[in-house]
Amino acid sequence: MRSARARAAGSAVLSLVVVSVLSSCATSNTRGGAGGTGLFGGGSSASVSYISSLQGGIVSRSGIQLSRGDYNKALEAEYRALETAPGGQAVTWSGSAKGEVVANAPYQVGNQNCRQYSHTITDNGREAKVRGAACRNADGTWTPLT
């Protein structure tokens, strides 16, 4: 039987591991704030691959037809919410339509960090809210769970 001291030490180690794993899924936003060019603005094929790995994101399931520009802003907001936003903090975007993406706290599936998230889209007075989940790959891209 383990002593109370050994159990406490084991709990402390487990807590440090959990904090370490959860903090490793958040990265700094090196692409600038809302005033920057965004992931699509620079034309970087690496940036486009991060967005394309979302496979249309959950915005594509909203039933709202967005312009290409609004669709790109919506996908970028989904990526930013998954990659950098603290759990529960909204990432907003706007154009001729507008939206808000909120990712929940990260959780582990196997060796991947995953997050559930929601996306509320408003266009011409019509609102749609869709929910989904995605897991972060070793290369930094996010793949939606189906």
Side-chain angles (χ1 to χ4, degrees), residues 30-31 37-53 72 76 79 141:
T30 58
R31 289 178 176 78
T37 59
L39 295 174
F40 291 105
S44 164
S45 62
S47 296
V48 172
S49 73
Y50 283 95
I51 299 300
S52 66
S53 71
N72 288 345
E76 182 177 350
Y79 175 79
T141 61

Side-chain angles (χ1 to χ4, degrees), residues 19-141:
V19 168
S20 174
V21 167
L22 291 178
S23 66
S24 70
C25 74
T27 60
S28 63
N29 183 359
T30 58
R31 289 178 176 78
T37 59
L39 295 174
F40 291 105
S44 164
S45 62
S47 296
V48 172
S49 73
Y50 283 95
I51 299 300
S52 66
S53 71
L54 281 172
Q55 302 168 9
I58 56 176
V59 66
S60 64
R61 300 189 321 231
S62 70
I64 294 180
Q65 296 296 316
L66 297 172
S67 69
R68 176 47 82 190
D70 283 350
Y71 184 71
N72 288 345
K73 289 176 186 177
L75 282 176
E76 182 177 350
E78 287 188 16
Y79 175 79
R80 287 184 15 238
L82 290 167
E83 184 68 14
T84 64
Q89 181 177 320
V91 174
T92 60
W93 61 271
S94 64
S96 57
K98 64 181 179 176
E100 176 179 279
V101 183
V102 178
N104 295 334
Y107 62 93
Q108 289 290 123
V109 173
N111 62 355
Q112 287 184 300
N113 292 319
C114 301
R115 296 182 89 171
Q116 293 180 341
Y117 65 113
S118 64
H119 196 152
T120 304
I121 302 108
T122 306
D123 183 38
N124 292 322
R126 182 173 172 219
E127 184 175 285
K129 185 170 187 172
V130 288
R131 298 177 191 276
C135 291
R136 192 173 194 275
N137 303 305
D139 65 358
T141 61

